[in-house]
Amino acid sequence: MITLWFSVVVLAWVLFFVLEGFDFGVGVLGPLLGRDDHERGAAVRTIGPFWDGNEVWLVAAIGVTFAAFPAWYGALLSGLYVPMVVLLLLLAVRGVALEFRGKGDGERYRRRADVALAASSLGIVLLWGALLAVFVRGLALGADGQVTGAGLARSLDPVLTGEALLGALGALLAALLLGATFLSLRTSGPLRRRARMLARWLGTGGAVALLLTGVLTSSPLALVAAVLSFAAGLLARAGREALAFATTALAVAGAVVAVFTARGAVVLHSTVDPAFSLTRASAAATPQALELITWAGVLILPGVLAYQAFSYWVFRRRVASERVPS
């Protein structure tokens, strides 16, 4: 049961990072690749029907982690509460920028919304990358399973390390590659051409980033992900846009699995003493609680997956970025 629920936790995080990954990538790239208000609007419309549904997986991932592994959840939240609060604020800014962009008149208003969208998306990606590196490196867990230290340094020091910087850089390159391949798949006209051209180069950059993930995690999965990222760049160069996006998604999924399984049965390493580390067994809820949430998962999870698949099918057509003469 513990292994099953650990797999569900990893799956929820994989879905979040893949689906929100291209959201964040489009958020950063839209204002950069779009030469005018019309093209920037086309970039935003590619994620308009999906972004809030994709965020459901963040709620699901946090909720499942809390329900199935409360000690792991408690240690992460108590040890990283300042970055987590900043992350939630950035997510709120991004949601407001997406919702309000089309509700005001004037190009200047929409330009400000685009800047807010790009800045918040960039901040979220960098922070998540740093946090993933912390998941691998571990926290200063004491014998009681709580993070030691006091004050702001307790939750800021873990994200101010060289590993966190590498994680942030890797996450940014991966999100940009996801965003570029998604834009080339979902748009037509000049935006599509620019996104495809960028994806050719980002494939190599993403491969380097995933190789860095391999250094952090010592996982062969990260090396496979690096090869997939390089292949995605080649597929983009060949104009195989759907395959390029699917390959990039697989690369990101592999990197996330590598992060969560980097230390085997240990879910959160203690930098104070390895004996204080949290394992899947020591962090898990009681068997009765796991059985209860299993029934909840059986009832809820298929419905969420079916709804998301349906929404992607309904909004599968390309968004035009070229202007049509009146």
Side-chain angles (χ1 to χ4, degrees):
M1 191 68 80
I2 291 174
T3 302
L4 169 67
W5 273 103
F6 180 75
S7 302
V8 173
V9 167
V10 174
L11 175 64
W13 284 109
V14 164
L15 287 171
F16 167 68
F17 281 111
V18 170
L19 297 178
E20 279 285 76
F22 73 71
D23 273 4
F24 299 147
V26 171
V28 176
L29 291 176
L32 299 176
L33 294 180
R35 299 283 171 82
D36 55 27
D37 184 58
H38 177 76
E39 291 182 5
R40 290 190 292 273
V44 171
R45 286 198 298 279
T46 63
I47 58 173
F50 310 123
W51 73 270
D52 49 355
N54 293 340
E55 281 194 355
V56 167
W57 289 107
L58 175 60
V59 178
I62 292 175
V64 170
T65 306
F66 168 71
F69 299 94
W72 185 17
Y73 171 90
L76 286 174
L77 265 290
S78 66
L80 298 166
Y81 64 91
V82 173
M84 291 294 184
V85 169
V86 174
L87 198 57
L88 290 176
L89 291 175
L90 288 171
L91 284 168
V93 171
R94 182 171 177 274
V96 170
L98 281 165
E99 287 290 342
F100 280 56
R101 186 186 190 280
K103 293 182 171 56
D105 294 327
E107 186 173 339
R108 188 177 180 185
Y109 170 86
R110 289 190 291 275
R111 182 64 177 169
R112 288 176 177 172
D114 291 335
V115 171
L117 173 62
S120 56
S121 299
L122 178 64
I124 292 167
V125 167
L126 293 175
L127 201 45
W128 265 124
L131 290 174
L132 285 175
V134 173
F135 290 179
V136 177
R137 183 177 183 271
L139 290 170
L141 292 177
D144 58 356
Q146 301 298 313
V147 178
T148 59
L152 289 177
R154 179 171 178 265
S155 60
L156 286 180
D157 283 352
V159 293
L160 300 176
T161 63
E163 292 97 330
L165 180 63
L166 286 179
L169 177 63
L172 177 61
L173 288 170
L176 292 180
L177 179 58
L178 269 174
T181 53
F182 185 75
L183 277 175
S184 69
L185 178 65
R186 292 278 291 119
T187 59
S188 62
L191 197 58
R192 177 188 183 188
R193 291 193 294 275
R194 289 182 212 124
R196 188 197 296 173
M197 186 174 296
L198 183 63
R200 298 174 183 177
W201 298 105
L202 285 173
T204 305
V208 173
L210 292 166
L211 283 174
L212 293 176
T213 306
V215 173
L216 285 174
T217 62
S218 302
S219 170
L221 264 179
L223 302 179
V224 174
V227 174
L228 287 173
S229 177
F230 185 72
L234 296 179
L235 289 166
R237 185 184 297 272
R240 306 296 296 272
E241 293 159 337
L243 275 176
F245 176 70
T247 305
T248 307
L250 281 175
V252 173
V256 175
V257 173
V259 165
F260 279 86
T261 59
R263 293 189 179 273
V266 172
V267 291
L268 190 59
H269 175 70
S270 172
T271 55
V272 176
D273 186 337
F276 300 155
S277 301
L278 287 175
T279 64
R280 296 177 197 175
S282 65
T286 63
Q288 293 81 5
L290 291 178
E291 185 177 350
L292 181 64
I293 62 174
T294 298
W295 283 108
V298 168
L299 293 173
I300 296 172
L301 200 58
V304 175
L305 289 169
Y307 172 77
Q308 282 223 298
F310 177 72
S311 66
Y312 277 94
W313 174 254
V314 169
F315 297 103
R316 65 188 181 279
R317 296 187 185 283
R318 290 182 183 272
V319 176
S321 70
E322 61 271 44
R323 287 186 178 276
V324 179
S326 57

